[in-house]
Amino acid sequence: MLIRFRAENIRSIKTEQELSLVASALTEHEETLVHAPQYDLNLLRSAGIYGPNASGKSSVVEAIAFMQAAVVYSHVGWKPTDGVPLTTFALDPVYAEAPSMFAADLLLDGVRYEYGFVADASRIREEWLYAWPRGRRQEWFTRDVDQDDEYVFSRLLSGENRAIRALTRPNSLFLSAAAQNNHEMLSPVHRWFADQLLVAGDRMRGTLAARVGDRCRDAAYRDSVFELLKAADLGISGLQLVDDDAVSLLSKAADAMFNVFGDGNVGNLRLLHRAGAGPDVALAFSDESAGTRTLFTLAGTIVEALASGGTLVVDELDRSLHPHLSTQIVRTFNDPAANPRNAQLIFNTHDTNLLDAGILRRDQVWFTEKGDDGATHLFPLTDFRARKSENLERGYLQGRYGAVPSVGTPVRGTGA
């Protein structure tokens, strides 16, 4: 589980911002909390981020996605001469050239970890991993390019540390290199980023669609995805796989236009639609509406997160979804019976119905807004001491918590 995430100098995030999944002392919906008594922590199963357009909600998602990409791909996917593909805060020339920071606190199989790194456009400048395997903090390794000895390894960290160090490029994370060389003690942290963190943002939807389509080859998984699609009442009556030979080159070309495949596996999937009294009609994925394709991808990642106890991060949860369906998705993650593996959902949205649906604790609500310098500020509702009985939707829309657009004079048409 994710305990907290911090980022600095990435996209519209300028100074360090933190998203925390640590529950406060509030007494509402205590049954939804995940308890970690060995660390005196109660963790939230979900968190929603609200704010006006261009306030930085998506920057939070993209910061998480960049950290994941660095951990998973920096050693095997980044070219040695290309540096680090950062997009820093561009509105301040000092920050445009400054390093960026990413850090995540995790609870994995009862052990707490803190992993993070600092990078600039050319290389990784710092990297660290701390662990609390027996409730006490252990410094497993640190990396600092400004020190005489860039790497310091703890005697508690067994493995081929120095050999892997020699293989780690300046623009690669040691954790990424260690995973490629089967470092057993570091594998839980890498595995969380690689397999249990699912980020459904604009830049990742194509990859996720291909991943969901490929996993639909498993009948049980496919049935679970179908149940979610059926609940959305889209008129879908089933999911069907066809043989590779039956997928025409024309269909594959059309699929590629939508940038939803990656390896083309979704091209083997057909969604069956009810057609009145006639037989069901199978449509290629590329023929489905944008809303249906989005919901298919989201349904698959929801099924995967709930099955693995992963953390699902969704950019614009309300996109193409009816508010009732968004509410049901959040309710599913918050419900211990429906979510026994303690999966987490982090989402941003404009759907204010969720604020008044009685499913979110006050410490599950976060906001983004931009300051005069154009930088994103991320802050929780609990900063405002909102009362338990308070109508959060009305308070938000009235600007009581900030993070709402300033609407000026309506634009008038020229008329006929």
Side-chain angles (χ1 to χ4, degrees), residues 289-303:
S289 69
T292 298
R293 295 198 303 271
T294 296
L295 183 56
F296 168 81
T297 302
L298 183 58
T301 54
I302 289 171
V303 169

Side-chain angles (χ1 to χ4, degrees), residues 11 23 31 93 95 131 188 274 283 287 309 337 350 360 362 384:
R11 296 195 172 271
E31 74 283 356
Y95 278 82
R274 292 189 296 270
L283 296 180
D287 291 333
H350 291 290
L360 289 174
R362 285 166 286 170
F384 297 89

Side-chain angles (χ1 to χ4, degrees), residues 4-19 59-64 66-67 99-104 117 376 378:
R4 60 176 59 87
F5 171 78
R6 295 178 289 130
E8 178 180 352
N9 195 22
I10 178 73
R11 296 195 172 271
S12 68
I13 297 173
K14 181 180 179 181
T15 58
E16 182 178 320
Q17 303 296 309
E18 177 179 287
L19 176 68
S59 289
V60 177
V61 174
E62 292 186 359
I64 296 172
F66 179 85
M67 187 177 191
S100 302
M101 184 277 296
F102 306 85
F117 61 90
T376 293
L378 175 66

Side-chain angles (χ1 to χ4, degrees), residues 128-204:
W128 62 89
L129 177 62
Y130 308 133
W132 287 254
R134 296 178 181 84
R136 298 185 64 180
R137 180 177 177 270
Q138 298 177 355
E139 186 177 284
W140 280 8
F141 78 85
T142 60
R143 174 183 184 183
D144 189 338
V145 70
D146 293 325
Q147 299 298 316
D148 292 337
D149 191 351
E150 181 178 343
Y151 289 84
V152 176
F153 297 107
S154 167
R155 58 180 178 80
L156 300 171
L157 183 66
S158 59
E160 300 297 325
N161 301 318
R162 299 196 178 279
I164 296 171
R165 167 187 174 171
L167 298 173
T168 305
R169 302 188 313 273
N171 72 330
S172 170
L173 293 171
F174 177 80
L175 179 61
S176 182
Q180 296 301 315
N181 289 276
N182 301 315
H183 196 300
E184 184 176 352
M185 287 188 68
L186 299 183
S187 64
V189 176
H190 183 273
R191 188 164 53 245
W192 183 83
F193 281 100
D195 299 330
Q196 291 190 283
L197 176 59
L198 303 166
V199 184
D202 274 346
R203 301 171 192 274
M204 290 70 71

Side-chain angles (χ1 to χ4, degrees), residues 312-390:
L312 173 60
V313 184
V314 182
D315 194 12
E316 297 185 18
L317 178 66
D318 52 324
R319 176 189 290 184
S320 305
L321 299 183
H322 190 280
H324 289 174
L325 186 56
S326 297
T327 300
Q328 186 55 44
I329 290 170
V330 176
R331 181 177 284 118
T332 297
F333 276 85
N334 283 347
D335 182 0
N339 180 15
R341 295 185 181 275
N342 303 327
Q344 292 172 298
L345 173 67
I346 299 168
F347 62 94
N348 66 48
T349 184
H350 291 290
D351 183 3
T352 58
N353 293 287
L354 292 170
L355 295 173
D356 201 34
I359 59 174
L360 289 174
R361 290 165 49 98
R362 285 166 286 170
D363 50 8
Q364 290 178 284
V365 180
W366 289 73
F367 303 110
T368 55
E369 66 179 10
K370 282 188 176 178
D372 294 337
D373 59 354
T376 293
H377 298 277
L378 175 66
F379 53 96
L381 172 63
T382 51
D383 281 357
F384 297 89
R385 299 183 180 180
R387 299 185 304 277
K388 186 176 182 178
S389 59
E390 190 168 316

Side-chain angles (χ1 to χ4, degrees), residues 168-316:
T168 305
R169 302 188 313 273
N171 72 330
S172 170
L173 293 171
F174 177 80
L175 179 61
S176 182
Q180 296 301 315
N181 289 276
N182 301 315
H183 196 300
E184 184 176 352
M185 287 188 68
L186 299 183
S187 64
V189 176
H190 183 273
R191 188 164 53 245
W192 183 83
F193 281 100
D195 299 330
Q196 291 190 283
L197 176 59
L198 303 166
V199 184
D202 274 346
R203 301 171 192 274
M204 290 70 71
R205 290 184 191 275
T207 300
L208 284 177
R211 176 170 172 160
V212 174
D214 187 61
R215 292 205 61 191
C216 276
R217 297 177 186 277
D218 177 80
Y221 178 87
R222 188 169 66 247
D223 290 346
S224 296
V225 172
F226 170 63
E227 288 302 315
L228 280 176
L229 293 176
K230 186 169 67 173
D233 195 24
L234 301 176
I236 295 173
S237 57
L239 301 179
Q240 180 186 77
L241 289 176
V242 297
D243 295 333
D244 288 337
D245 293 341
V247 181
S248 70
L249 292 176
L250 182 62
S251 174
K252 289 183 177 180
D255 291 340
M257 290 175 60
F258 288 101
N259 190 30
V260 292
F261 299 135
D263 61 1
N265 284 336
V266 185
N268 298 73
L269 189 72
R270 298 291 181 266
L271 275 62
L272 301 176
H273 292 259
R274 292 189 296 270
D280 291 348
V281 176
L283 296 180
F285 194 71
S286 58
D287 291 333
E288 299 289 348
S289 69
T292 298
R293 295 198 303 271
T294 296
L295 183 56
F296 168 81
T297 302
L298 183 58
T301 54
I302 289 171
V303 169
E304 186 170 348
L306 292 172
S308 68
T311 298
L312 173 60
V313 184
V314 182
D315 194 12
E316 297 185 18

Side-chain angles (χ1 to χ4, degrees), residues 71-149:
V71 170
V72 177
Y73 299 117
S74 64
H75 185 67
V76 295
W78 294 358
K79 295 181 180 178
T81 58
D82 282 356
V84 179
L86 281 166
T87 303
T88 54
F89 183 74
L91 302 183
D92 185 329
V94 173
Y95 278 82
E97 302 297 329
S100 302
M101 184 277 296
F102 306 85
D105 286 20
L106 306 170
L107 183 66
L108 307 176
D109 296 325
V111 178
R112 179 181 172 184
Y113 300 89
E114 180 192 330
Y115 173 73
F117 61 90
V118 174
D120 60 24
S122 62
R123 64 165 301 146
I124 307 299
R125 302 198 62 84
E126 299 178 39
E127 188 178 2
W128 62 89
L129 177 62
Y130 308 133
W132 287 254
R134 296 178 181 84
R136 298 185 64 180
R137 180 177 177 270
Q138 298 177 355
E139 186 177 284
W140 280 8
F141 78 85
T142 60
R143 174 183 184 183
D144 189 338
V145 70
D146 293 325
Q147 299 298 316
D148 292 337
D149 191 351

